[in-house]
Amino acid sequence: QVQLVESGGGLVQVGGSLRLSCAASGRTFSTYAMAWFRQAPGQERKLIAAINSDGGSTYNAAGRFTISRDNAKNMVYLQMNSLKPEDTAVYYCAAALSPASLLPPAYDYWGQGTQVTVSS
């Protein structure tokens, strides 16, 4: 089992940057694929970026965002650049051993989320 805790969200101006962090518990973290999703009010939860267990393969839905991980520290990161008002959402970290897809139901463990607000 994996417990996930996100941090790093906050209020940022348009064009600014943020780095979100996700701290994972458990000695088997390095066996999990990880992902970042976001959910804006009234909208479905959507994938932002995903990374495989050893960090050798990544998927980014937007070129402005970059996912990375440090298995030695049990951490996953999301670097967000050139932020726009439409990036305002709650951002979630998620984990799965072998996700069958990049959709939310494929992920087994979720953090509580961190709010990102981009002001214009």
Side-chain angles (χ1 to χ4, degrees):
Q1 192 168 355
V2 177
Q3 293 185 329
L4 305 171
V5 179
E6 302 95 334
S7 62
L11 178 64
V12 63
Q13 292 187 337
V14 169
S17 297
L18 279 177
R19 189 176 84 153
L20 305 183
S21 298
C22 174
S25 65
R27 290 174 289 181
T28 60
F29 171 74
S30 62
T31 65
Y32 284 83
M34 302 296 296
W36 285 96
F37 291 80
R38 73 183 183 191
Q39 187 167 20
Q43 296 186 18
E44 293 183 351
R45 194 167 297 189
K46 298 179 180 179
L47 178 76
I48 298 302
I51 189 166
N52 69 341
S53 59
D54 66 8
S57 178
T58 62
Y59 169 82
N60 292 308
R64 298 178 292 115
F65 297 167
T66 303
I67 189 171
S68 62
R69 68 189 295 161
D70 185 338
N71 284 346
K73 296 181 178 180
N74 281 17
M75 296 291 294
V76 179
Y77 305 101
L78 183 69
Q79 179 66 43
M80 305 188 296
N81 299 324
S82 302
L83 285 163
K84 304 175 182 181
E86 51 264 42
D87 296 320
T88 296
V90 178
Y91 284 71
Y92 296 91
C93 176
L97 280 174
S98 299
S101 75
L102 296 178
L103 297 175
Y107 286 81
D108 303 306
Y109 303 102
W110 294 83
Q112 82 289 348
T114 186
Q115 176 71 46
V116 172
T117 302
V118 184
S119 68
S120 55

